[in-house]
Structure formats: C-alpha cells, structure tokens
Amino acid sequence: MARDREHALNTDAIQQEQPAGPATGWWTEAVIYQIYPRSFADSDGDGMGDLPGITARLGHLVELGIDAVWLSPFYPSPQADAGYDVADYRDVDPLFGKLSDADRLIGEAHGRGLKVIVDLVPNHTSCAHRWFTEALAAPPGSPERARYIFRDGLGPDGDQPPNDWQSVFGGPAWTRVTEPDGRPGQWYLHLFDTGQPDLNWDNPQVRAEFLDVLRFWLDRGVDGFRVDVAHGLIKQADLANWEEPQEILSGQEAAKPRPPMWDQDGVHEIYREWRRLLEKYSGERVLVAEAWVEPAERLARYVRPDEMHQAFNFEYLLAAWTAPAQYAVITRSLEATDAVGAPTTWVLSNHDVVRHASRLGLTADGGRHNGIGVGDPQPDAALGLRRARAASLLMLALPGSAYLYQGEELGLPEHTTLPDEARQDPTWQRSGHTQRGRDGCRVPIPWEADAPSYGFGPTDASWLPQPSSWAEYALDRQRGVPGSTYEMYRTALRLRREHGLGRGPLEWLSTGDQVLAFRNRGLIVMTNFGAAPVPAPGGEVLHSSAPLDADGRIPTDVTVWLRP
Ligand code: GLC
Ligand code: MG
C-alpha cells in the first residue's frame, strides 16, 4: 500500500501540466532560532537554564528579529543524553519548570509574534520511560517487549549481541538485560546511549502513542515539531549486519549502499500520517526533519508535499568554505527541494556540531570535528569569526528558511578548552575518550559581561563552565555597538524581511573560484573567498560582514549586500 502511494506521487510529479507549485506559508521563509533550554537562561540560579528563564528573555529574540523558536527537549528525563532521552512526552522536567511554564512560554511567545516549535524524539524513549520499565518486568515475547527491539543473543549462551551494529556514540548498539528471574536475558537495541532504547515502529501501539503526543502539544498551541532522528525509525526487517562505524553526522554518500538502520523507505508512511493530523489543526503547523541523509535528492523525499515541511540541510553545514564548494551545495540544495515544491533550509550551527565561528577557524574544509579539547589543535579565533560572519550573511541572503543556534548572533565560539572532567556528552565516555563530543557548543551563553555567569542566571552556577574570555561576547557589550556581530545579525534580519530575501528567486552572477555573487529580489550579494580583495559591483552597500577596504574593494572572507 505504501508502495502504491509512492508510485502515485511519482506519477503526479511527472505530470507537468499541474505542478504542485512552491509551498507558501510563514515557514517557507522563516528564520528559526534554536534554544537549547539547558544553556539559554537560568531563572532560579541552579546553573541549569529553564523555561521561565526563556520566557523572561523573549524580548531579546523579538529585538533580534527572528520568526520562530525551536526548543530542544525540556521533558522529564534522566538526562543521559541532555534530555534527548525522554521519560514522559507530556510533561516538563522539574529541572526546567512545570507544564504551566511551558504554557506560559508558548502564550507569551505568541503574544510577541513568535512561533514555537518543540522537539519530538520518536526513535527512542528513555530507559526510565514507563514502557521500558514494563518491558523489563515482562517476559521475552510479551506485548510489553514488543514496543521496543528486543532479541535473543547469539552464541550458545546468548551472550553475543544479536548483530554487529554500533551505537552512534560509540560501543555496541545492544545491551543485555537481566530477566525478572535474575538470569542474563535478551538484548535491546539502542542506536544511541544505553539509556535510549529504540522503539519498534512496526508496532501499532507505538504509532498511536505518538499521534497522541502530537495532539497533546498541538492542543497546547505549538506551531510545529522538530523531529529527532527522523531517518531512523524504521529498521531493515532482518537487522542485517553492518560493519561500518556509526556517526551521527556522517550522512550517506549516494554511491554507498544504504545502512540497514537509516533512511528506510518505511519512515515516509509515518510522516504522511502525521501530516494528515497536522492539517486538521488551524494555523500552519509544521514538521521539520532532522535526517542525516545524503544526497540532497534522498533528503528531499522527507519534504514531499504530503510529508514534512522542512528538513535540516546538513550538507550545507558540512560544506567547505570555498567558492566552488558553496556554489555546489547551494545549487544542489535548491534544485533538490524545488523538485518537490518545498523550501530549502540553511543551517551553520546547532547543539550537535562545533560552532561555526570555531569550525571555520580551524580549517576551511568544513569537515566534521566531534568536539575540540585541551591538547587538540586550536582554532584561529579571529579568522573563524571573520569567516563565520561572512558565512552567516551569505546564508541569510539565500531564499528559503534559515536556522540560527543560540549564541551565534553574538559570534560565540566553541568552548575549545573545556576540561575533560566537566564533559557530560555520553560520546566522550562511550567512545573510550577518543571523541570529545558536543559539550563545547552547549555552554551557557553570555548576556552581561560583568554579571555572575555572564548573566546566564542570578548566581555564578553554570552546568558547564564558561570560558573566562566570554565577557567580550556578552550581549550587553554588543548591543547598540556598530559593527558588532549582534548588530550585524539584527540588520541582516531586518533587511532580509524588508526585501523578502527568503522568497527568492536566486540568480547567479558570478560563480568563479574566488568569488560568488547572486541577485535576490533586486539585491546583489557577493562573497569573496579569495586571498586578494576584489572590486565591489557598482551600487549602494546596504550591509557587509566587515568594512570594505579604502579603495571600496571587498576583502578576503567578506560578504556584501548591495543595491545596484
Ligand atoms: C539528535 C539530537 C542529538 C541526540 C540524538 C539522539 O541527533 O540532535 O542531540 O543526541 O538525536 O536523540
Ligand atoms: Mg534553573
């Protein structure tokens, strides 16, 4: 049946007389700001960011000029993976506040014209979820176990894992349980931490439960869901061996066979069902896929007209900082989403990757670095910030929807000398201390240079230590200061809105090895990636990521917006 539907859809796409047409709606050109609740603002001084802290700081986001926020998980959780291990999908963890604090946050955000997207984690629950506790207490073969992926082990004693899959965080993807009678028993699958058992999406109970969770938050007024690990829900039925190591950010190259745990065709039916539910609600509620899937055409399948609305463009995030690489990824991304009538999205930083102000100061290859720590080669902070500003201005001029990660509007770097003892990302432990992991981009952000915890909270408590050099990045050092990164973002967001840059279309003017230039809605946007300054096209400079030189030329690693 799923196959029939896909077939019908493909046929539609070929009938050129009646193209679906590009999607319309707030989300097609929205700038969406990711809040990582643990690290945005702490209202009670316990060193952990919380929902009342966010509500109190909404004014900042309005002033910045974004359209929507996406909140990383705030649900009850043992925090084995910073909240991406959910024990109860319908409540708020006391660390972050109460359910009424979520309601207040949603209401106040709406009152200020901001949309609210929440995180949904359907691939796995926490091991503290009631379902998993019930599964452990029930025998092999029971309905309780059938909500997860339990299997007998291999070998005469069943003491070998059922297959060779590796966890994304390192180590085996299977853990053996002790049966209620005290004997070593079955194994359960966890593509991430041991505390994150994978759900069995072939089980109708699991499907029904998540429809209900969606309804719960839709009824509370949320404008959409960012869907965690959207490419992982369905596993190849035979759970075939796959000797490759897992990496959360690796994506899949077109030529390689598809791994049995990622991007299986069966996931699409799930999102079609969710889309039908969202369509029953007023307003335009959206689904955003976190799917580390390549190539772009494969990712575009998640945003076909009857599935999700958007998918994060990680190929863009990973692209090298060179003119040819940026040109290639931008054109490929636009073509792939145009083909299905969905908006393209753009993103440079999030809570899983090294912040772009540091990434681009380490190397221009854009490659993946799973954390940076003491003893690692350190980024060139000035170069990184310069390129990050140029990259952000280039991104914000592209048609489609853009995602910002809290703190990037301050030019915030990664904490690259975080003491290893302070690390909390399970990656560090599970990889046997070979991958430092993601703590460096998750450090609480600075608001006031001279306040305790830089104004993150009323005390100097901070769940991850903040570097002593962060005063200069604090919001109050940048607000109203011409040329600051914060004012650069504000101006960019204002101009983007005034000129409708999110709507495009984009027309390339220069695609050489050193310089990229395009026209979008009457503005010319130009980035110089080369080693030497280049003449700016004639016209009025509306915005730039750094000043032009004395001869009016565009220096290296600078983006300019001009009105011809
Ligand atoms: C997603 C999240 C990441 C989390 C993982 C497991 O990739 O962005 O932070 O660790 O899923 O839920
Ligand atoms: Mg707190």
Side-chain angles (χ1 to χ4, degrees):
M1 188 174 153
R3 179 155 301 173
D4 285 344
R5 238 181 281 146
E6 285 208 16
H7 181 70
L9 205 86
N10 290 340
T11 320
D12 284 354
I14 297 164
Q15 289 173 351
Q16 299 265 327
E17 299 88 36
Q18 283 189 321
T24 54
W26 67 270
W27 45 278
T28 58
E29 54 181 305
V31 175
I32 302 173
Y33 182 99
Q34 179 187 0
I35 293 181
Y36 194 65
R38 298 171 66 94
S39 303
F40 187 69
D42 173 21
S43 71
D44 56 6
D46 65 351
M48 181 60 67
D50 44 48
L51 299 187
I54 299 171
T55 306
R57 293 283 194 184
L58 286 175
H60 165 63
L61 301 177
V62 173
E63 183 183 89
L64 178 59
I66 51 118
D67 302 294
V69 294
W70 144 39
L71 300 158
S72 280
F74 48 73
Y75 315 108
S77 161
Q79 306 285 320
D81 183 23
Y84 281 95
D85 47 322
V86 179
D88 178 356
Y89 291 86
R90 298 177 183 80
D91 204 348
V92 171
D93 195 290
L95 268 184
F96 303 121
K98 301 189 290 292
L99 194 53
S100 57
D101 294 320
D103 290 337
R104 194 163 311 119
L105 170 52
I106 296 166
E108 290 211 13
H110 285 165
R112 291 166 179 266
L114 300 175
K115 309 269 188 195
V116 179
I117 293 172
V118 295
D119 219 305
L120 185 77
V121 188
N123 180 67
H124 43 265
T125 68
S126 160
C127 59
H129 192 282
R130 182 174 55 83
W131 274 6
F132 195 69
T133 315
E134 288 173 4
L136 290 186
S142 60
E144 287 82 0
R145 289 224 171 157
R147 294 163 175 156
Y148 293 92
I149 305 178
F150 278 86
R151 293 288 184 280
D152 293 332
L154 302 181
D157 303 321
D159 59 359
Q160 299 301 309
N163 71 20
D164 66 358
W165 294 5
Q166 295 294 298
S167 146
V168 171
F169 297 151
W174 296 90
T175 292
R176 193 170 196 188
V177 304
T178 304
E179 299 298 347
D181 64 7
R183 281 184 304 172
Q186 287 196 299
W187 298 70
Y188 69 90
L189 177 71
H190 52 88
L191 291 178
F192 294 88
D193 189 64
T194 336
Q196 295 169 296
D198 279 57
L199 285 163
N200 170 18
W201 274 87
D202 293 323
N203 185 332
Q205 270 187 44
V206 172
R207 297 196 183 218
E209 169 68 2
F210 274 85
L211 284 170
D212 199 59
V213 169
L214 287 169
R215 275 187 221 105
F216 179 87
W217 289 102
L218 289 166
D219 290 341
R220 300 194 105 78
V222 304
D223 301 285
F225 302 88
R226 174 265 188 193
V227 181
D228 191 66
V229 195
H231 58 318
L233 274 51
I234 299 288
K235 280 76 180 173
Q236 194 173 295
D238 60 1
L239 303 183
N241 279 340
W242 179 257
E243 48 268 21
E244 307 278 323
Q246 287 302 329
E247 260 194 11
I248 193 170
L249 311 183
S250 62
Q252 286 97 49
E253 284 151 33
K256 285 200 199 152
R258 202 163 325 122
M261 67 294 281
W262 304 130
D263 196 27
Q264 302 295 305
D265 288 343
V267 296
H268 296 287
E269 190 181 311
I270 299 169
Y271 304 133
R272 291 194 186 109
E273 190 171 20
W274 291 6
R275 178 67 176 254
R276 287 196 293 274
L277 173 66
L278 262 64
E279 301 288 340
K280 293 190 186 134
Y281 280 78
S282 64
E284 296 163 87
R285 320 281 181 112
V286 300
L287 295 166
V288 183
E290 187 225 19
W292 292 90
V293 168
E294 283 180 15
E297 293 71 33
R298 198 70 206 172
L299 183 63
R301 293 160 54 91
Y302 288 75
V303 292
R304 289 177 288 192
D306 60 348
E307 296 193 39
M308 300 220 200
H309 297 75
Q310 295 187 344
F312 293 120
N313 188 348
F314 294 127
E315 191 180 341
Y316 177 71
L317 185 153
L318 294 171
W321 181 246
T322 66
Q326 295 285 317
Y327 171 70
V329 72
I330 293 169
T331 48
R332 233 186 354 252
S333 307
L334 289 167
E335 278 166 22
T337 45
D338 281 356
V340 293
T344 315
T345 69
W346 313 101
V347 61
L348 290 166
S349 282
N350 65 32
H351 67 294
D352 289 329
V353 301
V354 172
R355 284 181 175 275
H356 65 290
S358 297
R359 203 170 68 224
L360 297 174
L362 201 55
T363 146
D365 73 0
R368 173 174 188 226
H369 313 282
N370 195 356
I372 300 172
V374 179
D376 288 337
Q378 293 291 307
D380 176 335
L383 177 67
L385 181 58
R386 184 178 180 82
R387 286 182 176 159
R389 290 171 55 123
S392 298
L393 268 203
L394 172 57
M395 173 177 84
L396 291 172
L398 293 169
S401 182
Y403 283 82
L404 306 181
Y405 177 49
Q406 66 180 35
E408 73 168 81
E409 77 276 26
L410 306 173
L412 205 63
E414 184 88 354
H415 189 342
T416 56
T417 55
L418 187 70
D420 289 336
E421 313 81 73
R423 295 192 180 276
Q424 302 203 15
D425 181 354
T427 304
W428 176 236
Q429 289 299 338
R430 291 192 60 91
S431 70
H433 297 177
T434 58
Q435 304 282 319
R436 285 224 155 77
R438 304 160 293 173
D439 296 299
C441 64
R442 300 176 172 180
V443 175
I445 61 172
W447 298 87
E448 286 125 33
D450 301 317
S453 65
Y454 302 118
F456 164 61
T459 65
D460 39 14
S462 169
W463 71 278
L464 285 173
Q466 300 166 299
S468 54
S469 56
W470 274 16
E472 60 174 295
Y473 296 99
L475 177 64
D476 70 347
R477 288 274 174 92
Q478 301 197 38
R479 224 172 143 225
V481 177
S484 69
T485 303
Y486 175 65
E487 293 300 337
M488 184 198 85
Y489 268 82
R490 272 186 76 192
T491 303
L493 292 174
R494 177 174 57 76
L495 290 170
R496 176 183 160 93
R497 191 184 299 259
E498 280 171 17
H499 293 271
L501 300 184
R503 291 194 286 282
L506 176 153
E507 179 200 341
W508 288 104
L509 303 174
S510 168
T511 59
D513 276 353
Q514 313 292 316
V515 169
L516 289 186
F518 58 82
R519 195 195 318 268
N520 181 0
R521 299 217 134 215
L523 294 197
I524 291 179
V525 176
M526 186 155 165
T527 302
N528 181 9
F529 297 85
V534 294
E540 179 197 354
V541 174
L542 295 185
H543 201 17
S544 65
S545 63
L548 303 200
D549 72 11
D551 303 322
R553 293 175 307 173
I554 306 174
T556 302
D557 291 329
V558 171
T559 297
V560 181
W561 295 8
L562 294 122
R563 192 186 353 233

